[in-house]
Amino acid sequence: MDCSVPIESAYARPRQSRQARVVWNSRLVTVGGDAPVRVQSMTNTDTVDVIGTAIQVKELALAGSEMVRVTVNTPEAAQAVPFVREQLDRMGIDVPLVGDFHYNGHRLLTDFPDCAQALSKYRINPGNVGKGDKRDRQFGLMIEAAMRWDKPVRIGVNWGSLDQELLAGLMDDNSRRATPWPAKPVMYEALITSAIESARRAGEMGMNPSQIILSCKVSGVQDLVSVYRELARRCDYPLHLGLTEAGMGSKGVVASSVALGILLQEGIGDTIRVSLTPQPGESRTQEVVVASDILQALELRSFVPSVTACPGCGRTTSTTFQELTQQIEGFLRSQMPLWRDQYPGVEKLRVAVMGCIVNGPGESKHADIGISLPGTGEAPAAPVFIDGEKCMTLRGDAIAQEFQKIVEQYIDKRFGKAAMATQ
């Protein structure tokens, strides 16, 4: 290691984009600039189902999504949007709603002004706004609606619906090069050009550049990294990151974590979405959990208290530490919707649940509060460490319940109103 370079430099995020503002009622979500990287998600309900959509938006918001996108694809969906917003307001959920428009967005935003006003942001796909002469006019109508209602837009290019006229033109230009590029770099260039040129046209129409966010989504990890590095080099708009179809289960989680982790570490990305295909019966909120965990693992954000736990080995033939870890993690995550206001700062809490004497005491001392459970053949005792000091030892069959109570007491003592009043 080159000791002349501070280790902290590994965490630098050098890119600094301009800042956009997404607002609904009292809820202001800033994007870009020095704002934190934001978590987004999207419903998979039929937007016409007002109650079902509002319930899913609420679930996503409570899980930590800071903006939620809904499909606006028909006149009926556009008519439903204000009622979804109204239902959310009655629930006390002030998360901004983003309208996802393809093909007919120009008509829907023009014909349904209540929809245009109820949304906090519009997503426009320049590959799906029309062809030929219609493209510029229909794109212009959407930008005019955004300016009329003072809404930011995300110009979201997707390689599955890329502007074919633009791509064909770039392919023709490439064929005339002395040394033509391979097909994939031409595709990259088409994505980037589509996004930046669309933003430029919106600016020429009078839209404030600080109200424009860009994305160029693809489904391959290396493709995403290549496209966004070049996009970040060529513009200072806030950028939304995400694989367009990450996949299901571990494949989707791993691909998203790798791709977003690389770019975020380089300072690229101002909002993220993890587009997981839910397992049958799985909650839609899983994509929010994964996105939040990526940011927390990179130490860019804190959303929930972190739990350190060992993977287990031949010393830990009992499943006690696994069960306790699962119980504590579930408890902490389930309480966060209440604790965010009740215990400011609790999301930075560090808890350790360890399975034997090898690393248990050391990891527990590094955490704010930790427990080292007995491994195979060890004495049936579980020392508890608080702020680096051994405070007590738990024994018996109720260790899990006792430790959870200790965690609750610690949280109230450290983050509660009484603790805040003495600071």
Side-chain angles (χ1 to χ4, degrees):
M1 178 182 293
D2 181 359
C3 295
S4 66
V5 179
I7 293 175
E8 290 78 10
S9 66
Y11 297 100
R13 282 177 48 80
R15 183 180 188 267
Q16 187 88 159
S17 61
R18 66 180 85 206
Q19 192 172 85
R21 294 160 53 88
V22 183
V23 184
W24 180 258
N25 289 344
S26 60
R27 174 85 159 174
L28 167 64
V29 179
T30 52
V31 174
D34 57 0
V37 180
R38 302 295 186 181
V39 174
Q40 293 192 34
S41 58
M42 185 174 183
T43 61
N44 62 356
T45 56
D46 184 347
T47 308
V48 176
D49 177 6
V50 171
I51 299 301
T53 300
I55 288 172
Q56 191 173 84
V57 172
K58 178 181 178 180
E59 291 171 349
L60 292 166
L62 292 179
S65 183
E66 293 163 293
M67 284 177 273
V68 179
R69 186 156 44 113
V70 298
T71 299
V72 189
N73 58 334
T74 63
E76 293 77 16
Q79 288 175 321
V81 166
F83 296 103
V84 174
R85 179 73 270 169
E86 185 179 294
Q87 183 66 34
L88 289 169
D89 292 342
R90 283 200 293 265
M91 293 175 173
I93 303 298
D94 59 357
V95 65
L97 286 181
V98 181
D100 191 58
F101 295 97
H102 297 273
Y103 307 110
N104 59 355
H106 58 289
R107 290 202 305 271
L108 298 179
L109 286 170
T110 301
D111 295 346
F112 298 94
D114 288 348
C115 169
Q117 189 173 13
L119 293 167
S120 298
K121 177 182 162 193
Y122 311 150
R123 185 276 174 105
I124 303 173
N125 183 342
N128 287 340
V129 297
K131 298 180 180 179
D133 295 339
K134 291 182 179 180
R135 182 178 60 236
D136 289 345
R137 181 176 62 83
Q138 293 175 178
F139 177 80
L141 287 171
M142 299 183 77
I143 296 300
E144 286 174 2
M147 292 191 293
R148 183 182 309 119
W149 299 108
D150 192 25
K151 307 293 183 180
V153 300
R154 172 162 69 91
I155 296 175
V157 184
N158 190 309
W159 75 349
S161 52
L162 189 56
D163 183 337
Q164 293 302 303
E165 294 178 22
L166 171 63
L167 178 60
L170 290 175
M171 288 289 192
D172 288 343
D173 292 342
N174 185 57
S175 68
R176 291 189 286 271
R177 295 177 186 272
T179 306
W181 294 352
K184 187 167 279 189
V186 180
M187 175 78 77
Y188 295 166
E189 182 63 25
L191 287 161
I192 294 165
T193 299
S194 179
I196 292 178
E197 285 300 303
S198 296
R200 181 187 59 78
R201 285 198 297 272
E204 290 174 350
M205 291 182 62
M207 187 163 198
N208 188 333
S210 68
Q211 290 288 76
I212 299 173
I213 300 163
L214 299 185
S215 67
C216 289
K217 287 194 171 184
V218 296
S219 55
V221 171
Q222 296 290 2
D223 298 313
L224 193 82
V225 172
S226 297
V227 168
Y228 272 87
R229 280 175 173 165
E230 182 61 15
L231 181 62
R233 188 185 71 80
R234 285 161 59 174
C235 76
D236 65 352
Y237 293 105
L239 301 180
H240 172 71
L241 301 185
L243 294 168
T244 185
E245 294 103 8
M248 180 179 282
S250 60
K251 184 268 182 188
V253 173
V254 171
S256 293
S257 300
V258 171
L260 272 59
I262 292 170
L263 291 168
L264 290 167
Q265 185 74 359
E266 295 178 6
I268 299 170
D270 301 285
T271 68
I272 65 171
R273 183 194 172 202
V274 175
S275 301
L276 294 180
T277 303
Q279 301 277 3
E282 183 180 58
S283 171
R284 188 70 166 179
T285 58
Q286 183 63 15
E287 69 174 54
V288 180
V289 172
V290 174
S292 302
D293 284 349
I294 290 171
L295 294 177
Q296 189 148 334
L298 289 168
E299 299 181 15
L300 297 176
R301 300 280 304 270
S302 293
F303 295 92
V304 296
S306 62
V307 179
T308 300
C310 65
C313 66
R315 292 175 176 269
T316 56
T317 53
S318 167
T319 60
T320 303
F321 83 95
Q322 298 165 315
E323 293 161 0
L324 180 55
T325 301
Q326 185 179 45
Q327 179 179 325
I328 292 297
E329 281 195 336
F331 170 70
L332 294 173
R333 194 174 291 278
S334 69
Q335 293 301 306
M336 278 308 297
L338 298 174
W339 284 355
R340 284 190 188 101
D341 295 327
Q342 187 177 357
Y343 297 121
V346 70
E347 66 276 3
K348 296 183 179 179
L349 178 73
R350 296 168 300 147
V351 181
V353 180
M354 302 301 293
C356 78
I357 200 171
V358 173
N359 291 321
E363 286 285 359
S364 296
K365 289 178 182 178
H366 290 313
D368 296 309
I369 181 168
I371 186 169
S372 179
L373 294 165
T376 304
E378 294 177 15
V384 174
F385 296 82
I386 297 177
D387 295 329
E389 301 292 335
K390 181 180 175 181
C391 293
M392 65 194 77
T393 300
L394 302 182
R395 293 181 173 84
D397 297 329
I399 286 178
Q401 293 82 358
E402 290 180 43
F403 184 65
Q404 181 170 310
K405 289 181 181 178
I406 293 168
V407 171
E408 290 183 77
Q409 292 168 356
Y410 179 84
I411 288 171
D412 187 63
K413 181 179 178 181
R414 178 174 169 184
F415 300 101
K417 291 181 180 179
M420 296 296 105
T422 60
Q423 292 183 2

